[in-house]
Amino acid sequence: VALRFWWDGLVELIWPPVQRCELCDAPGAAVFCPVCLSDLRRTDGVGAALQCAGQPFERLVCIGLHQGGLRKAVHRLKYCGRRRVAGALASMLAPRLAAAEGDLIVPVPLHAARLRERGYNQAELLADRLGELLGLPVVTGWVERTRPTEAQARLGRQERLVNVRDAFCLRRPGPVPWEGRCVWVVDDVLTTGATAGALTSLLLSAGAVSVGVAVAAVSASSPDA
Ligand SMILES: [Zn+2]
């Protein structure tokens, strides 16, 4: 066994593990290879304006629809522990936030049970990188998710809306950092908008002037499907 470890160590020293594109496995140090990156850049914020109708948030920005390479990238970030994908997605998203008003960023919190299970909040990873790129403060720890609503992918639209009602609450009383400010709510995917809408309502009722939502991807299916 010792020899085996020694041998593996020697092999890694001579041939370091090859880094690969997160989408197509092509060798290379970048998160996405040039081909996949240009594919991702070709998608755009189609449908974003429609998703704002009837929502409490005023703006919605995204890289593109939750399909193809973008869907796979989000999946890698969310379910495969590939945290470095957050930085690459944030770089694509940042110019779209920079074009609109926003003073600070609030990532959609995960429920504590879900956070323990996953070990990280993918929305917070995205928010942290966006904050760095845009020079905006990232506010965490003020809002708590009261129910693990993320498991709602299997629910229909009406069930989802009921499921997220009162899904968030303030963790502490007192003056909030977003009082009188314009907030960006950041999440990985927007499906019906119910989750982002519920958090937006809470932020607005607690002093935010306006809320925009920034997500990597917007669900490709119609919200009424
Ligand atoms: Zn690739």
Side-chain angles (χ1 to χ4, degrees):
V1 172
L3 183 68
R4 177 81 228 178
F5 280 130
W6 177 83
W7 176 251
D8 285 351
L10 185 68
V11 167
E12 277 209 5
L13 199 66
I14 301 172
W15 296 285
V18 180
Q19 287 206 296
R20 293 182 178 281
C21 168
E22 294 286 344
L23 297 182
C24 72
D25 280 342
V31 177
F32 304 126
C33 74
V35 176
C36 288
L37 188 61
S38 82
D39 267 2
L40 285 172
R41 287 199 190 285
R42 218 171 297 133
T43 68
D44 62 21
V46 188
L50 289 175
Q51 299 272 353
C52 282
Q55 294 286 1
F57 45 85
E58 287 178 13
R59 301 172 299 284
L60 173 64
V61 298
C62 62
I63 299 168
L65 293 178
H66 192 227
Q67 60 189 20
L70 188 54
R71 186 190 180 101
K72 188 172 178 186
V74 168
H75 193 273
R76 300 278 287 169
L77 167 64
K78 200 167 174 176
Y79 301 113
C80 307
R82 305 299 294 171
R83 301 181 191 204
R84 68 181 192 139
V85 172
L89 294 178
S91 304
M92 280 185 270
L93 197 50
R96 298 176 190 221
L97 276 79
E101 196 178 5
D103 302 316
L104 53 88
I105 298 174
V106 177
V108 172
L110 275 188
H111 186 264
R114 184 84 54 194
L115 186 60
R116 270 196 304 276
E117 184 181 291
R118 187 169 299 160
Y120 60 96
N121 175 358
Q122 70 283 352
E124 203 172 316
L125 295 183
L126 277 171
D128 285 345
R129 288 295 293 129
L130 284 170
E132 283 170 32
L133 292 165
L134 298 165
L136 296 179
V138 178
V139 171
T140 57
W142 285 81
V143 180
E144 186 174 356
R145 199 156 183 158
T146 51
R147 273 176 290 141
T149 49
E150 203 187 324
Q152 60 178 1
R154 292 177 297 273
L155 303 178
R157 177 175 168 80
Q158 277 310 317
E159 289 170 296
R160 283 177 191 228
L161 293 176
V162 171
N163 195 34
V164 295
R165 199 173 292 155
D166 307 317
F168 300 98
C169 68
L170 286 180
R171 290 181 70 178
R172 47 184 127 158
V176 290
W178 56 80
E179 177 95 51
R181 319 287 294 277
C182 299
V183 181
W184 282 113
V185 162
V186 169
D187 206 355
D188 51 343
V189 179
L190 183 131
T191 307
T192 60
T195 300
L199 179 54
T200 296
S201 297
L202 177 66
L203 295 172
L204 289 172
S205 71
V209 167
S210 74
V211 175
V213 173
V215 292
V218 168
S219 179
S221 60
S222 155
D224 293 311

